[in-house]
């Protein structure tokens, strides 16, 4: 069990640029989640997948954000035309669907928009 | 909006003290979880509670799920500096729906 892997760990970009993050979940997990977290706050739900299907997306999520999980394995999160307010830690988590679902988180990608 | 309110937001105590962190909502949860997060890392699951009134113990940590499944508490006995971190509660209103997190309680334990 190699855990949830996220790449890159850190990303610095200029306002207006596009960025893409990757998440590799635990191999036997069929669910994958994306959360955003700012310093000292709890993770804010963005979206989640069951296999390759995107089942839920936060109503607060801007149209500049898009996520994919094309083969039900790894996932990518793209942010277009980044803004300074996008600066945050982007966390990926995976789980096996069940009554009391247990999320396993990656170490996150820290995004800084200058 | 489904909200989980955590209190207190910050807690700074001396080694050996006891503390309780609360997680409250106006909505019923099918399950509730507690996570601990250290700086620069993702949250790590501590416990899941499912049944109203359920109490679970993990060494010096005691977790309780309210009878109505709308609230939960985390009690730490004889806190140690290693307990320092951000404690998060998270709940799902229905099995299989996304977990919603509270804003967390930042705990600092000094020796």
């Amino acid at each position: 069990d190699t855990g949830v892997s996220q790449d890159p760990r850190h990303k610095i970009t200029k306002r207006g640029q596009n960025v893409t993050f990757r998440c590799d979940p635990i191999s036997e997990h069929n669910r994958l989640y994306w959360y955003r977290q700012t310093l000292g706050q709890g993770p804010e739900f963005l979206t989640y997948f069951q296999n390759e299907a995107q089942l839920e997306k936060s109503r607060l999520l801007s149209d500049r954000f898009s996520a994919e999980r094309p083969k039900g394995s790894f996932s990518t999160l793209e942010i277009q035309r980044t803004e300074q307010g996008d600066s945050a830690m982007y966390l990926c988590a995976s789980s096996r669907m069940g009554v009391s679902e247990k999320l396993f988180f990656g170490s996150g990608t820290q995004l800084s928009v200058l | 909006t489904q909200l989980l309110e955590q209190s207190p937001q910050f807690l700074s105590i001396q080694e050996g003290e006891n503390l309780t962190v609360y997680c409250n909502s106006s909505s019923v949860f099918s399950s509730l979880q507690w996570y601990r997060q250290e700086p620069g890392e993702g949250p790590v699951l501590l416990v899941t509670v499912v049944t109203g009134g359920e109490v679970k113990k993990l060494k010096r940590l005691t977790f309780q799920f309210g009878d109505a499944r709308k609230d939960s508490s985390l009690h730490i006995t004889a806190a140690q500096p290693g307990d320092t971190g951000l404690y998060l509660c998270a709940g799902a209103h229905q099995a299989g729906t996304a977990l919603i997190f509270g804003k967390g309680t930042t705990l600092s334990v000094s020796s």
Side-chain angles (χ1 to χ4, degrees):
Chain A
D1 181 356
T2 57
V4 178
S5 177
Q6 291 190 245
D7 183 68
R9 285 296 308 271
H10 304 275
K11 178 70 177 179
I12 300 173
T13 191
K14 292 183 179 180
R15 189 174 51 186
Q17 298 293 305
N18 299 342
V19 294
T20 299
F21 310 140
R22 177 180 170 122
C23 172
D24 287 273
I26 293 171
S27 57
E28 63 267 27
H29 285 181
N30 57 353
R31 287 200 162 185
L32 188 149
Y33 294 78
W34 286 100
Y35 287 86
R36 176 172 61 190
Q37 186 178 28
T38 53
L39 193 63
Q41 300 291 312
E44 175 193 11
F45 170 73
L46 296 179
T47 187
Y48 88 95
F49 295 82
Q50 183 168 307
N51 300 314
E52 65 274 11
Q54 189 172 18
L55 294 190
E56 192 173 343
K57 190 175 175 181
S58 169
R59 286 170 291 177
L60 303 176
L61 200 59
S62 161
D63 289 344
R64 298 183 294 104
F65 288 69
S66 62
E68 293 182 343
R69 194 183 183 199
K71 296 182 179 179
S73 56
F74 74 92
S75 176
T76 58
L77 176 68
E78 181 184 17
I79 309 174
Q80 296 182 326
R81 305 180 303 281
T82 53
E83 301 172 357
Q84 287 185 326
D86 296 332
S87 295
M89 173 77 85
Y90 289 83
L91 291 164
C92 174
S94 70
S95 71
R96 203 173 347 213
M97 186 179 67
V99 173
S100 55
E101 201 167 337
K102 300 176 184 179
L103 265 58
F104 292 82
F105 281 86
S107 297
T109 294
Q110 182 66 53
L111 173 65
S112 297
V113 182
L114 305 178
Chain B
T1 303
Q2 308 157 354
L3 287 177
L4 278 168
E5 302 283 348
Q6 284 191 243
S7 62
Q9 188 175 357
F10 299 99
L11 196 52
S12 182
I13 61 173
Q14 295 288 318
E15 181 177 5
E17 293 184 31
N18 302 332
L19 67 115
T20 302
V21 175
Y22 299 93
C23 176
N24 296 288
S25 174
S26 57
S27 304
V28 174
F29 289 93
S30 64
S31 67
L32 199 140
Q33 300 179 348
W34 285 92
Y35 291 78
R36 179 169 167 268
Q37 185 178 23
E38 296 192 30
E41 298 296 327
V44 175
L45 179 67
L46 295 173
V47 77
T48 301
V49 285
V50 178
T51 306
E54 184 176 3
V55 177
K56 281 192 174 179
K57 292 192 175 183
L58 185 65
K59 297 182 180 178
R60 294 176 293 101
L61 278 61
T62 302
F63 304 85
Q64 186 162 5
F65 201 12
D67 291 339
R69 291 187 292 137
K70 293 183 179 182
D71 57 89
S72 181
S73 63
L74 158 61
H75 183 78
I76 301 179
T77 303
Q80 299 177 0
D83 295 327
T84 293
L86 178 65
Y87 288 82
L88 298 157
C89 66
H93 287 280
Q94 293 179 358
T97 58
L99 275 180
I100 305 299
F101 282 80
K103 291 189 175 182
T105 294
T106 299
L107 172 65
S108 175
V109 183
S110 54
S111 56

